[in-house]
Amino acid sequence: MLRVQDRAVHQCDSGWVPVFVGQDRAVALMSIGFLLERPDDAVVWRGPKKNALIKQFVTDVAWGDLDFLIVDTPPGTSDEHISTVEALRPHRLLGAILVTTPQAVSVGDVRRELTFCKKTGLRVLGVVENMSGFVCPHCSGSGIHDSLLFFLLQECTNIFSKGGGEELAKHAGVPFLGCVPLDPQLSQSLEEGRDFIQEFPKSSAFPALAHIAQQILDTSQQSS
Amino acid sequence: MADAVGAARPEECPGTGSAQAGSAAACQGCPNQGLCAAGAAGPDPAEAAELRARLRAVRHTVLVLSGKGGVGKSTFSAALAHGLAADEHKQVALLDIDICGPSIPKIMGLEGEQVHQSGSGWSPVYVEENLGVMSVGFLLSSPDDAVIWRGPKKNGLIKQFLRDVDWGEVDYLIVDTPPGTSDEHLSIVQYLSATHIDGAVIVTTPQEISLQDVRKEINFCHKVKLPIIGVVENMSGFVCPKCKKESQIFPPTTGGAEKMCQNLNVSLLGKVPLDPQIGRSCDRGQSFLSEAPDSPATLSYRNIIQRIQEYCEQQHSQEEKMI
């Protein structure tokens, strides 16, 4: 997604050197993706091997001075999640952001994820409702502003319904960070490894993403 | 998949199910060392016999896999189950082995149901007379309960699902899996090697980021010698119900599943367009195929299901010819 799939990981005296993204090197990245011989290689590992690699990613990577370490996890509440929390516990774990789509089926899984956070003593920074609402580009480009069309637009905008994430946050007593609408341009940018924030500042997803980032920054400042 | 070790087993074989499988001194030179080391060699003979006995009345087994989460695998498994069970002469079973994220009970309208035990084992929960379901979801007392288990415990439950559930006579056993290529996938292939798996259906969306993971999934299938029935491309275009024009919400920047399947010589079973009704049916636990019989997505599903049936029946008649 960040267009660095062909890069390799090197060793230095203080450990593995992460892959830096962008000219300003503001983002450092580590992933098993960099350790595969071929991009199509499957990693067919049981839990113990995965756990060992996760520990290495935390302790053996020369991250340097970081303001934020963001950990992207697979779905679930299993080896990867338990190991990540254990490995990061000594390192000022700020908390977890839980991402859902608006549908009840997705919310159902995130309820269990919330329980995982509670049981492992992991603070919940908040819930994000992703893929929340979609505006058909043909309908919205029509330029007609009468109230009937507006009503019709409302109907066709909710491919995956809306509101499940906010309800979940309320039910669980955790902050609701916001809705990120479904924007095909966002999807396309990620596919092509382009900087969405730079290229589509007018996208409906941009203010949502910026607002969520700001809330995390505020929370981290309050914590320190 | 027959017991892979068989006559080639070395004298000091630690056992295909043991922790040293593939890595003990005796394993050097054994033709199955690679399989054992990957954890996919097969259960021990005693376990295998038990599983074979329990699953002997299952005619066809289909695994539903995905590389990535959120592509609609469970949605597809549910549609496949409903579609096959539409023929009331067919007995269909749906096994959900997504231990941490069991969505099948909700999608099948069975939330809150519990598993009952009888003399012959655990009873599946029936949606229709000819459609039974099993999931860890039925063993949890609250929708907030989390299953925070490492691999070995998950594997144990999967074995129990196969060994202790009284499936009865089943024409199609559909196994819904979590995304990826890890414990659950190795275990299900390992345990089912005692009997027979017709093949795997891999679900994806059109994006390259999803296809990248499908290629790994295909790689996994090759590694564990699991036949691939084909690939389903989900969320493939959206037809606006108002203006009827099509848009690509998840653009196929590298040619989508169609190009990938051509390149890798794998069947593309079909493409399912995005219909907002699909999500709503899942949330309400109703069969989308029944709720929206005229949707283009329903037509796609039905064509795909038919192709899967034809594949399974063809395999079966080929095997009968060989006997």
Side-chain angles (χ1 to χ4, degrees):
Chain A
M1 285 184 177
L2 295 173
R3 223 198 215 163
V4 289
Q5 61 266 37
D6 298 325
R7 304 268 285 279
V9 162
H10 303 288
Q11 290 247 12
C12 70
D13 287 339
S14 20
W16 293 354
V17 181
V19 173
F20 289 94
V21 180
Q23 295 214 346
D24 54 1
R25 295 164 62 93
V27 176
L29 178 61
M30 181 52 65
S31 162
I32 195 177
F34 297 128
L35 308 175
L36 300 174
E37 275 184 32
R38 283 175 304 257
D40 296 344
D41 281 347
V43 179
V44 187
W45 288 357
R46 289 193 183 274
K49 247 177 139 170
K50 294 193 284 186
N51 300 336
L53 185 65
I54 288 168
K55 280 200 194 95
Q56 274 197 285
F57 277 166
V58 174
T59 56
D60 295 353
V61 173
W63 292 109
D65 284 327
L66 285 179
D67 295 291
F68 286 97
L69 176 66
I70 299 161
V71 184
D72 185 32
T73 63
T77 52
S78 186
D79 284 279
E80 294 89 336
H81 314 86
I82 301 168
S83 295
T84 301
V85 172
E86 277 174 7
L88 288 174
R89 222 185 271 285
H91 301 278
R92 289 182 63 193
L93 199 41
L94 184 63
I97 299 174
L98 274 61
V99 182
T100 182
T101 60
Q103 280 170 281
V105 172
S106 180
V107 167
D109 280 349
V110 179
R111 282 176 81 164
R112 304 188 200 280
E113 205 71 52
L114 279 164
T115 304
F116 169 83
C117 293
K118 211 169 164 181
K119 288 208 158 149
T120 53
L122 183 54
R123 175 185 178 183
V124 176
L125 298 171
V127 170
V128 169
E129 183 176 295
N130 213 5
M131 305 196 208
S132 181
F134 168 71
V135 181
C136 167
H138 305 285
C139 290
S140 62
S142 66
I144 300 170
H145 297 292
D146 69 70
S147 56
L148 177 63
L149 183 63
F150 182 74
F151 171 73
L152 292 175
L153 273 178
Q154 290 299 303
E155 268 202 49
C156 95
T157 55
N158 295 321
I159 290 188
F160 296 128
S161 72
K162 197 171 165 59
E166 190 160 10
E167 274 172 42
L168 172 67
K170 222 186 284 179
H171 163 86
V174 298
F176 179 61
L177 297 174
C179 294
V180 182
L182 241 182
D183 182 352
Q185 285 177 336
L186 172 53
S187 179
Q188 189 132 7
S189 299
L190 287 171
E191 290 271 280
E192 296 167 3
R194 292 181 287 143
D195 187 338
F196 174 77
I197 302 291
Q198 294 285 333
E199 298 211 6
F200 301 108
K202 293 200 182 70
S203 156
S204 50
F206 174 71
L209 292 167
H211 179 57
I212 292 165
Q214 189 59 54
Q215 291 175 82
I216 302 303
L217 282 166
D218 293 342
T219 305
S220 74
Q221 267 160 15
Q222 280 165 15
S223 294
S224 51
Chain B
M1 274 170 61
D3 177 8
V5 182
R9 189 192 292 267
E11 234 178 84
E12 301 284 326
C13 169
T16 55
S18 95
Q20 282 90 44
S23 52
C27 300
Q28 298 299 324
C30 172
N32 296 295
Q33 185 182 18
L35 271 178
C36 286
D44 273 315
E47 279 182 345
E50 230 181 339
L51 289 168
R52 210 178 342 237
R54 183 58 100 172
L55 299 169
R56 73 172 175 277
V58 173
R59 286 186 70 224
H60 299 293
T61 302
V62 175
L63 257 52
V64 182
L65 307 174
S66 75
K68 207 134 204 74
V71 297
K73 182 176 32 56
S74 299
T75 307
F76 177 78
S77 297
L80 177 58
H82 277 298
L84 290 168
D87 176 356
E88 52 192 34
H89 301 294
K90 291 272 189 277
Q91 197 65 29
V92 181
L94 176 56
L95 171 60
D96 176 11
I97 62 165
D98 190 343
I99 308 294
C100 298
S103 312
I104 293 292
K106 185 171 198 65
I107 296 175
M108 301 298 281
L110 299 172
E111 247 189 339
E113 295 282 344
Q114 300 279 295
V115 165
H116 300 288
Q117 287 230 21
S118 73
S120 40
W122 293 359
S123 303
V125 179
Y126 286 91
V127 179
E128 316 278 350
E129 253 188 67
N130 68 334
L131 175 48
V133 181
M134 182 53 64
S135 165
V136 73
F138 300 135
L139 305 173
L140 302 172
S141 47
S142 152
D144 294 314
D145 283 347
V147 181
I148 307 174
W149 290 355
R150 289 194 184 274
K153 236 176 147 174
K154 292 193 286 186
N155 302 335
L157 183 61
I158 292 169
K159 201 193 310 190
Q160 266 199 286
F161 277 159
L162 294 172
R163 192 191 57 207
D164 296 346
V165 173
D166 181 17
W167 294 107
E169 299 248 351
V170 169
D171 292 288
Y172 289 95
L173 170 63
I174 297 153
V175 184
D176 187 38
T177 62
T181 53
S182 186
D183 282 275
E184 296 88 334
H185 313 87
L186 281 168
S187 294
I188 195 75
V189 165
Q190 191 177 351
Y191 299 140
L192 286 176
S193 71
T195 64
H196 169 72
I197 309 179
D198 288 67
V201 173
I202 307 177
V203 180
T204 183
T205 56
Q207 303 139 288
E208 174 57 23
I209 211 83
S210 180
L211 298 176
Q212 235 172 47
D213 286 349
V214 173
R215 292 191 196 100
K216 293 184 205 287
E217 204 71 35
I218 290 173
N219 214 289
F220 165 79
C221 291
H222 290 325
K223 239 183 186 163
V224 299
K225 301 194 190 353
L226 177 57
I228 299 171
I229 302 175
V231 171
V232 171
E233 185 181 90
N234 227 357
M235 306 197 206
S236 184
F238 166 68
V239 178
C240 177
K242 298 306 154 204
C243 71
K244 308 290 185 218
K245 295 206 180 115
E246 182 167 335
S247 15
Q248 294 286 357
I249 299 194
F250 300 116
T253 52
T254 55
E258 190 157 6
K259 184 130 189 276
M260 181 198 67
C261 287
Q262 271 167 15
N263 291 343
L264 297 177
N265 199 23
V266 167
S267 289
L268 175 66
L269 293 172
K271 301 186 197 184
V272 184
L274 244 178
D275 183 334
Q277 180 67 36
I278 297 176
R280 286 198 279 272
S281 297
C282 283
D283 280 359
R284 290 198 280 235
Q286 283 156 343
S287 165
F288 168 73
L289 302 178
S290 311
E291 295 281 288
D294 299 322
S295 161
T298 299
L299 182 61
S300 291
Y301 274 133
R302 290 206 187 282
N303 286 338
I304 291 166
I305 293 168
Q306 184 163 352
R307 290 189 66 181
I308 294 171
Q309 267 181 293
E310 283 164 7
Y311 177 95
C312 292
E313 294 300 332
Q314 210 177 38
Q315 296 297 105
H316 187 71
S317 59
Q318 273 176 4
E319 279 168 20
E320 281 188 327
K321 278 191 201 137
M322 280 162 60
I323 291 170

